[in-house]
Amino acid sequence: MERTEPGRRERKKAATRQALSRAARELFLDRGFDNVTVAEIADAADTAVSTLFAHFPGGKEALILGHGHERETALAAAVRDRAEGASILQALRDFLATRGPFDPDPDPQARRVADLVVATPALRAYARTLWTGCEDTLTKVIAEESGQDDFSVRLLARYVLEVPDLAGVEADPAAALDAAFVFLRRGWPEFC
């Protein structure tokens, strides 16, 4: 199948989304999330407020954290494409270890964004919503990969998706992530 390049309109939309995200990130990191309005972001990106909401209906939070679709896709891929012999729980732990406050070697701007999210209640709540919004997809992929399809699979998915919010605010997020997965392995040894 031949891969086609995106058309002019799609490229323009992508450029607008990037300009809005970049402007929001810079303003938020400079002045704090709560001290920036959507009008200021739209102005910095040279767009209208209506354009901002057309691209980011989730508002200010979505400008820095996205819509969640890419997170959902990446989470499912982490389970489906795990290394041979790797357990589902290990694949999920390894995936989370590369995200936000768990990333052991983030670039400086990514670290600042992660710190902003953890320190800002509205961003932290939105991030949690993005994670828990992946529950159906994660439940489905775990069921497909394990051959199990019962309540315990949904329960496992729910607990895994709560880990970023809970462990991400600990003094040592990476250690808290590892501790969380110790408990998950005890509760679901069949996924180890």
Side-chain angles (χ1 to χ4, degrees), residues 51-105:
T51 302
L52 181 150
F53 283 112
H55 288 284
F56 293 94
K60 285 173 43 174
E61 294 83 358
L63 283 158
I64 199 154
L65 291 169
H67 301 294
H69 307 300
E70 64 282 343
R71 180 183 314 241
E72 197 168 14
T73 301
L75 190 58
V79 174
R80 282 192 184 109
D81 303 337
R82 68 191 184 279
E84 189 173 328
S87 71
I88 290 171
L89 281 171
Q90 188 62 46
L92 289 167
R93 183 249 164 244
D94 292 349
F95 172 76
L96 291 176
T98 66
R99 307 290 293 217
F102 308 117
D103 188 347
D105 191 28

Short mmCIF file of all heavy atoms in Angstrom, two decimals, residues 51-105:
data_model
loop_
_atom_site.label_atom_id
_atom_site.label_comp_id
_atom_site.label_asym_id
_atom_site.label_seq_id
_atom_site.Cartn_x
_atom_site.Cartn_y
_atom_site.Cartn_z
N THR A 51 -10.51 29.13 17.07
CA THR A 51 -9.59 28.16 16.45
C THR A 51 -8.94 27.29 17.51
O THR A 51 -8.82 26.08 17.34
CB THR A 51 -8.52 28.89 15.62
OG1 THR A 51 -9.17 29.69 14.63
CG2 THR A 51 -7.56 27.93 14.96
N LEU A 52 -8.56 27.91 18.61
CA LEU A 52 -7.96 27.15 19.71
C LEU A 52 -8.92 26.06 20.17
O LEU A 52 -8.52 24.89 20.28
CB LEU A 52 -7.62 28.10 20.86
CG LEU A 52 -6.95 27.48 22.09
CD1 LEU A 52 -6.05 28.51 22.76
CD2 LEU A 52 -7.96 26.95 23.09
N PHE A 53 -10.18 26.43 20.41
CA PHE A 53 -11.14 25.43 20.89
C PHE A 53 -11.52 24.41 19.81
O PHE A 53 -11.89 23.28 20.14
CB PHE A 53 -12.38 26.11 21.47
CG PHE A 53 -12.13 26.65 22.86
CD1 PHE A 53 -12.11 28.02 23.09
CD2 PHE A 53 -11.89 25.80 23.93
CE1 PHE A 53 -11.88 28.52 24.35
CE2 PHE A 53 -11.65 26.30 25.19
CZ PHE A 53 -11.64 27.67 25.41
N ALA A 54 -11.42 24.80 18.55
CA ALA A 54 -11.68 23.83 17.47
C ALA A 54 -10.63 22.73 17.48
O ALA A 54 -10.92 21.56 17.23
CB ALA A 54 -11.70 24.54 16.12
N HIS A 55 -9.39 23.10 17.78
CA HIS A 55 -8.30 22.12 17.81
C HIS A 55 -8.15 21.45 19.16
O HIS A 55 -7.69 20.30 19.25
CB HIS A 55 -6.98 22.79 17.43
CG HIS A 55 -6.87 23.15 15.99
ND1 HIS A 55 -6.62 22.21 15.01
CD2 HIS A 55 -7.02 24.33 15.36
CE1 HIS A 55 -6.59 22.81 13.83
NE2 HIS A 55 -6.83 24.09 14.01
N PHE A 56 -8.52 22.16 20.23
CA PHE A 56 -8.36 21.64 21.58
C PHE A 56 -9.65 21.87 22.38
O PHE A 56 -9.72 22.75 23.24
CB PHE A 56 -7.17 22.33 22.28
CG PHE A 56 -5.86 21.99 21.66
CD1 PHE A 56 -5.31 22.82 20.69
CD2 PHE A 56 -5.17 20.85 22.03
CE1 PHE A 56 -4.10 22.51 20.10
CE2 PHE A 56 -3.95 20.54 21.45
CZ PHE A 56 -3.42 21.37 20.48
N PRO A 57 -10.69 21.07 22.09
CA PRO A 57 -11.96 21.27 22.79
C PRO A 57 -11.84 21.03 24.30
O PRO A 57 -12.70 21.49 25.06
CB PRO A 57 -12.91 20.27 22.13
CG PRO A 57 -12.06 19.35 21.34
CD PRO A 57 -10.76 20.02 21.09
N GLY A 58 -10.78 20.36 24.72
CA GLY A 58 -10.56 20.14 26.15
C GLY A 58 -10.04 21.37 26.86
O GLY A 58 -9.85 21.35 28.07
N GLY A 59 -9.79 22.45 26.13
CA GLY A 59 -9.34 23.70 26.75
C GLY A 59 -7.87 23.73 27.08
O GLY A 59 -7.05 23.03 26.46
N LYS A 60 -7.53 24.55 28.06
CA LYS A 60 -6.13 24.78 28.42
C LYS A 60 -5.38 23.50 28.76
O LYS A 60 -4.23 23.32 28.39
CB LYS A 60 -6.05 25.74 29.60
CG LYS A 60 -6.32 27.19 29.26
CD LYS A 60 -6.41 28.12 30.46
CE LYS A 60 -5.40 27.95 31.54
NZ LYS A 60 -5.49 28.98 32.59
N GLU A 61 -6.05 22.62 29.48
CA GLU A 61 -5.38 21.38 29.90
C GLU A 61 -4.94 20.54 28.69
O GLU A 61 -3.85 19.99 28.68
CB GLU A 61 -6.30 20.56 30.81
CG GLU A 61 -6.62 21.21 32.14
CD GLU A 61 -7.76 22.22 32.09
OE1 GLU A 61 -8.32 22.47 31.01
OE2 GLU A 61 -8.08 22.78 33.15
N ALA A 62 -5.80 20.48 27.69
CA ALA A 62 -5.47 19.68 26.51
C ALA A 62 -4.31 20.26 25.73
O ALA A 62 -3.59 19.53 25.04
CB ALA A 62 -6.70 19.56 25.60
N LEU A 63 -4.09 21.56 25.84
CA LEU A 63 -2.99 22.20 25.13
C LEU A 63 -1.64 21.66 25.57
O LEU A 63 -0.70 21.59 24.78
CB LEU A 63 -3.03 23.71 25.34
CG LEU A 63 -4.07 24.43 24.50
CD1 LEU A 63 -4.43 25.77 25.12
CD2 LEU A 63 -3.57 24.59 23.08
N ILE A 64 -1.53 21.27 26.82
CA ILE A 64 -0.25 20.77 27.31
C ILE A 64 -0.21 19.25 27.44
O ILE A 64 0.83 18.64 27.31
CB ILE A 64 0.15 21.46 28.63
CG1 ILE A 64 1.64 21.30 28.89
CG2 ILE A 64 -0.68 20.97 29.79
CD1 ILE A 64 2.23 22.37 29.74
N LEU A 65 -1.38 18.64 27.62
CA LEU A 65 -1.43 17.18 27.82
C LEU A 65 -2.02 16.41 26.65
O LEU A 65 -2.02 15.18 26.67
CB LEU A 65 -2.21 16.86 29.10
CG LEU A 65 -1.52 17.27 30.40
CD1 LEU A 65 -2.47 17.17 31.57
CD2 LEU A 65 -0.28 16.43 30.62
N GLY A 66 -2.55 17.09 25.67
CA GLY A 66 -3.11 16.40 24.51
C GLY A 66 -4.52 15.89 24.77
O GLY A 66 -5.15 16.22 25.77
N HIS A 67 -4.99 15.10 23.85
CA HIS A 67 -6.36 14.58 23.90
C HIS A 67 -6.44 13.20 24.55
O HIS A 67 -7.51 12.76 24.90
CB HIS A 67 -6.94 14.46 22.48
CG HIS A 67 -6.98 15.77 21.76
ND1 HIS A 67 -7.77 16.82 22.15
CD2 HIS A 67 -6.29 16.19 20.67
CE1 HIS A 67 -7.59 17.83 21.33
NE2 HIS A 67 -6.70 17.48 20.42
N GLY A 68 -5.36 12.49 24.62
CA GLY A 68 -5.37 11.16 25.19
C GLY A 68 -5.36 10.04 24.17
O GLY A 68 -5.07 8.90 24.50
N HIS A 69 -5.67 10.35 22.91
CA HIS A 69 -5.71 9.31 21.88
C HIS A 69 -4.33 8.68 21.70
O HIS A 69 -4.21 7.45 21.60
CB HIS A 69 -6.21 9.85 20.55
CG HIS A 69 -7.52 10.56 20.66
ND1 HIS A 69 -8.68 9.93 21.11
CD2 HIS A 69 -7.88 11.84 20.40
CE1 HIS A 69 -9.67 10.80 21.12
NE2 HIS A 69 -9.21 11.96 20.69
N GLU A 70 -3.30 9.51 21.67
CA GLU A 70 -1.94 8.98 21.49
C GLU A 70 -1.52 8.16 22.70
O GLU A 70 -0.85 7.14 22.58
CB GLU A 70 -0.94 10.10 21.21
CG GLU A 70 -0.75 11.11 22.32
CD GLU A 70 -1.84 12.17 22.45
OE1 GLU A 70 -2.64 12.39 21.52
OE2 GLU A 70 -1.92 12.77 23.54
N ARG A 71 -1.96 8.55 23.88
CA ARG A 71 -1.66 7.82 25.11
C ARG A 71 -2.31 6.44 25.07
O ARG A 71 -1.70 5.43 25.38
CB ARG A 71 -2.19 8.63 26.29
CG ARG A 71 -1.96 8.03 27.64
CD ARG A 71 -2.60 8.93 28.69
NE ARG A 71 -2.27 10.32 28.45
CZ ARG A 71 -1.60 11.09 29.31
NH1 ARG A 71 -1.25 10.63 30.48
NH2 ARG A 71 -1.33 12.34 29.02
N GLU A 72 -3.57 6.41 24.65
CA GLU A 72 -4.32 5.16 24.55
C GLU A 72 -3.67 4.21 23.55
O GLU A 72 -3.49 3.02 23.83
CB GLU A 72 -5.75 5.49 24.13
CG GLU A 72 -6.74 4.40 24.37
CD GLU A 72 -8.17 4.90 24.22
OE1 GLU A 72 -8.40 5.99 23.68
OE2 GLU A 72 -9.05 4.15 24.64
N THR A 73 -3.29 4.73 22.41
CA THR A 73 -2.64 3.92 21.37
C THR A 73 -1.30 3.38 21.86
O THR A 73 -0.98 2.20 21.68
CB THR A 73 -2.45 4.76 20.09
OG1 THR A 73 -3.73 5.20 19.65
CG2 THR A 73 -1.77 3.98 19.00
N ALA A 74 -0.52 4.24 22.50
CA ALA A 74 0.80 3.83 22.99
C ALA A 74 0.69 2.80 24.11
O ALA A 74 1.47 1.85 24.18
CB ALA A 74 1.58 5.05 23.47
N LEU A 75 -0.30 2.96 24.96
CA LEU A 75 -0.53 2.01 26.06
C LEU A 75 -0.88 0.63 25.52
O LEU A 75 -0.32 -0.38 25.96
CB LEU A 75 -1.63 2.55 26.96
CG LEU A 75 -1.92 1.90 28.28
CD1 LEU A 75 -0.69 1.90 29.18
CD2 LEU A 75 -3.06 2.64 28.98
N ALA A 76 -1.78 0.59 24.56
CA ALA A 76 -2.16 -0.69 23.95
C ALA A 76 -0.98 -1.32 23.23
O ALA A 76 -0.75 -2.53 23.34
CB ALA A 76 -3.32 -0.50 22.98
N ALA A 77 -0.19 -0.51 22.54
CA ALA A 77 0.98 -1.02 21.82
C ALA A 77 2.02 -1.58 22.80
O ALA A 77 2.69 -2.57 22.50
CB ALA A 77 1.61 0.06 20.95
N ALA A 78 2.14 -0.96 23.97
CA ALA A 78 3.10 -1.46 24.97
C ALA A 78 2.79 -2.88 25.37
O ALA A 78 3.69 -3.70 25.58
CB ALA A 78 3.10 -0.54 26.19
N VAL A 79 1.51 -3.21 25.46
CA VAL A 79 1.10 -4.57 25.82
C VAL A 79 1.21 -5.50 24.61
O VAL A 79 1.80 -6.57 24.70
CB VAL A 79 -0.33 -4.59 26.40
CG1 VAL A 79 -0.81 -6.02 26.65
CG2 VAL A 79 -0.39 -3.77 27.68
N ARG A 80 0.67 -5.06 23.49
CA ARG A 80 0.67 -5.92 22.28
C ARG A 80 2.07 -6.20 21.75
O ARG A 80 2.35 -7.30 21.28
CB ARG A 80 -0.15 -5.26 21.18
CG ARG A 80 -1.62 -5.40 21.36
CD ARG A 80 -2.38 -4.98 20.09
NE ARG A 80 -3.79 -5.04 20.34
CZ ARG A 80 -4.57 -3.98 20.44
NH1 ARG A 80 -4.09 -2.76 20.26
NH2 ARG A 80 -5.85 -4.12 20.71
N ASP A 81 2.93 -5.20 21.79
CA ASP A 81 4.24 -5.30 21.17
C ASP A 81 5.35 -5.56 22.17
O ASP A 81 6.53 -5.32 21.88
CB ASP A 81 4.55 -4.00 20.40
CG ASP A 81 3.52 -3.69 19.35
OD1 ASP A 81 2.81 -4.62 18.89
OD2 ASP A 81 3.39 -2.49 18.99
N ARG A 82 5.00 -6.07 23.34
CA ARG A 82 6.02 -6.31 24.37
C ARG A 82 7.01 -7.36 23.89
O ARG A 82 6.70 -8.20 23.03
CB ARG A 82 5.37 -6.71 25.68
CG ARG A 82 4.69 -8.05 25.69
CD ARG A 82 3.85 -8.22 26.97
NE ARG A 82 3.27 -9.53 27.05
CZ ARG A 82 2.15 -9.88 26.41
NH1 ARG A 82 1.50 -9.02 25.66
NH2 ARG A 82 1.68 -11.12 26.55
N ALA A 83 8.20 -7.30 24.44
CA ALA A 83 9.25 -8.24 24.06
C ALA A 83 8.82 -9.67 24.39
O ALA A 83 8.06 -9.90 25.34
CB ALA A 83 10.54 -7.91 24.82
N GLU A 84 9.30 -10.58 23.59
CA GLU A 84 8.99 -11.99 23.84
C GLU A 84 9.45 -12.38 25.24
O GLU A 84 10.56 -12.06 25.65
CB GLU A 84 9.69 -12.88 22.80
CG GLU A 84 9.23 -14.31 22.87
CD GLU A 84 9.78 -15.15 21.73
OE1 GLU A 84 9.99 -14.60 20.64
OE2 GLU A 84 10.01 -16.35 21.97
N GLY A 85 8.56 -13.00 25.97
CA GLY A 85 8.87 -13.42 27.33
C GLY A 85 8.55 -12.37 28.39
O GLY A 85 8.57 -12.66 29.57
N ALA A 86 8.27 -11.13 27.97
CA ALA A 86 7.93 -10.08 28.93
C ALA A 86 6.46 -10.24 29.33
O ALA A 86 5.60 -10.49 28.49
CB ALA A 86 8.15 -8.70 28.32
N SER A 87 6.20 -10.10 30.60
CA SER A 87 4.81 -10.21 31.08
C SER A 87 4.06 -8.92 30.77
O SER A 87 4.64 -7.87 30.49
CB SER A 87 4.81 -10.45 32.59
OG SER A 87 5.21 -9.27 33.29
N ILE A 88 2.76 -9.02 30.85
CA ILE A 88 1.91 -7.85 30.64
C ILE A 88 2.23 -6.79 31.68
O ILE A 88 2.38 -5.61 31.35
CB ILE A 88 0.42 -8.25 30.67
CG1 ILE A 88 0.09 -9.07 29.42
CG2 ILE A 88 -0.48 -7.02 30.80
CD1 ILE A 88 -1.29 -9.70 29.42
N LEU A 89 2.34 -7.19 32.95
CA LEU A 89 2.64 -6.21 33.99
C LEU A 89 4.02 -5.58 33.80
O LEU A 89 4.18 -4.37 34.03
CB LEU A 89 2.51 -6.84 35.38
CG LEU A 89 1.08 -6.97 35.87
CD1 LEU A 89 1.01 -7.79 37.15
CD2 LEU A 89 0.45 -5.60 36.07
N GLN A 90 5.00 -6.36 33.37
CA GLN A 90 6.32 -5.78 33.13
C GLN A 90 6.27 -4.78 31.99
O GLN A 90 6.88 -3.71 32.05
CB GLN A 90 7.37 -6.87 32.84
CG GLN A 90 8.78 -6.33 32.78
CD GLN A 90 9.23 -5.72 34.10
OE1 GLN A 90 9.04 -6.30 35.17
NE2 GLN A 90 9.82 -4.54 34.04
N ALA A 91 5.54 -5.11 30.94
CA ALA A 91 5.42 -4.20 29.80
C ALA A 91 4.74 -2.89 30.22
O ALA A 91 5.17 -1.80 29.79
CB ALA A 91 4.62 -4.87 28.67
N LEU A 92 3.73 -2.98 31.05
CA LEU A 92 3.04 -1.77 31.51
C LEU A 92 3.92 -0.94 32.42
O LEU A 92 3.98 0.29 32.31
CB LEU A 92 1.73 -2.15 32.22
CG LEU A 92 0.64 -2.66 31.28
CD1 LEU A 92 -0.50 -3.31 32.06
CD2 LEU A 92 0.12 -1.53 30.40
N ARG A 93 4.64 -1.59 33.31
CA ARG A 93 5.57 -0.88 34.19
C ARG A 93 6.65 -0.18 33.36
O ARG A 93 6.98 0.98 33.59
CB ARG A 93 6.19 -1.85 35.19
CG ARG A 93 7.11 -1.18 36.19
CD ARG A 93 8.55 -1.63 35.90
NE ARG A 93 9.48 -0.75 36.56
CZ ARG A 93 10.34 0.02 35.91
NH1 ARG A 93 10.41 0.05 34.62
NH2 ARG A 93 11.17 0.79 36.57
N ASP A 94 7.22 -0.89 32.39
CA ASP A 94 8.27 -0.31 31.55
C ASP A 94 7.74 0.88 30.74
O ASP A 94 8.45 1.87 30.55
CB ASP A 94 8.86 -1.36 30.63
CG ASP A 94 9.65 -2.43 31.38
OD1 ASP A 94 9.93 -2.26 32.58
OD2 ASP A 94 9.98 -3.46 30.74
N PHE A 95 6.51 0.76 30.26
CA PHE A 95 5.91 1.87 29.53
C PHE A 95 5.74 3.10 30.43
O PHE A 95 6.13 4.21 30.07
CB PHE A 95 4.55 1.44 28.96
CG PHE A 95 3.77 2.57 28.36
CD1 PHE A 95 4.11 3.09 27.11
CD2 PHE A 95 2.70 3.13 29.03
CE1 PHE A 95 3.39 4.15 26.56
CE2 PHE A 95 1.98 4.19 28.48
CZ PHE A 95 2.33 4.70 27.24
N LEU A 96 5.16 2.90 31.60
CA LEU A 96 4.94 4.03 32.51
C LEU A 96 6.26 4.66 32.95
O LEU A 96 6.32 5.87 33.17
CB LEU A 96 4.13 3.60 33.72
CG LEU A 96 2.67 3.24 33.45
CD1 LEU A 96 2.00 2.73 34.72
CD2 LEU A 96 1.91 4.42 32.88
N ALA A 97 7.30 3.85 33.05
CA ALA A 97 8.60 4.36 33.50
C ALA A 97 9.21 5.37 32.54
O ALA A 97 10.17 6.06 32.89
CB ALA A 97 9.57 3.20 33.72
N THR A 98 8.66 5.48 31.34
CA THR A 98 9.18 6.44 30.36
C THR A 98 8.34 7.71 30.30
O THR A 98 8.61 8.58 29.47
CB THR A 98 9.21 5.82 28.95
OG1 THR A 98 7.87 5.57 28.52
CG2 THR A 98 10.02 4.54 28.92
N ARG A 99 7.32 7.80 31.12
CA ARG A 99 6.35 8.90 31.02
C ARG A 99 6.48 9.90 32.17
O ARG A 99 6.74 9.51 33.31
CB ARG A 99 4.93 8.34 31.02
CG ARG A 99 4.61 7.26 30.02
CD ARG A 99 4.57 7.75 28.62
NE ARG A 99 3.46 8.65 28.43
CZ ARG A 99 2.73 8.70 27.33
NH1 ARG A 99 3.00 7.92 26.33
NH2 ARG A 99 1.73 9.57 27.23
N GLY A 100 6.25 11.15 31.88
CA GLY A 100 6.14 12.22 32.87
C GLY A 100 7.13 12.15 34.00
O GLY A 100 8.34 12.10 33.77
N PRO A 101 6.65 12.13 35.24
CA PRO A 101 7.55 12.19 36.40
C PRO A 101 8.39 10.93 36.60
O PRO A 101 9.32 10.93 37.40
CB PRO A 101 6.60 12.39 37.58
CG PRO A 101 5.31 11.82 37.13
CD PRO A 101 5.25 12.08 35.64
N PHE A 102 8.09 9.86 35.86
CA PHE A 102 8.84 8.61 36.00
C PHE A 102 10.04 8.52 35.07
O PHE A 102 10.91 7.69 35.25
CB PHE A 102 7.93 7.41 35.74
CG PHE A 102 6.67 7.44 36.55
CD1 PHE A 102 5.44 7.53 35.94
CD2 PHE A 102 6.71 7.40 37.94
CE1 PHE A 102 4.26 7.57 36.67
CE2 PHE A 102 5.55 7.45 38.69
CZ PHE A 102 4.32 7.54 38.06
N ASP A 103 10.06 9.35 34.03
CA ASP A 103 11.12 9.32 33.03
C ASP A 103 12.46 9.57 33.71
O ASP A 103 12.67 10.63 34.31
CB ASP A 103 10.85 10.38 31.96
CG ASP A 103 11.80 10.30 30.78
OD1 ASP A 103 12.82 9.59 30.87
OD2 ASP A 103 11.51 10.94 29.76
N PRO A 104 13.39 8.61 33.63
CA PRO A 104 14.66 8.75 34.34
C PRO A 104 15.61 9.77 33.69
O PRO A 104 16.52 10.27 34.35
CB PRO A 104 15.27 7.34 34.28
CG PRO A 104 14.68 6.75 33.05
CD PRO A 104 13.29 7.33 32.94
N ASP A 105 15.39 10.10 32.43
CA ASP A 105 16.32 11.00 31.74
C ASP A 105 15.57 11.93 30.79
O ASP A 105 15.81 11.92 29.58
CB ASP A 105 17.37 10.17 30.97
CG ASP A 105 18.51 11.02 30.46
OD1 ASP A 105 18.80 12.06 31.09
OD2 ASP A 105 19.09 10.67 29.42
#
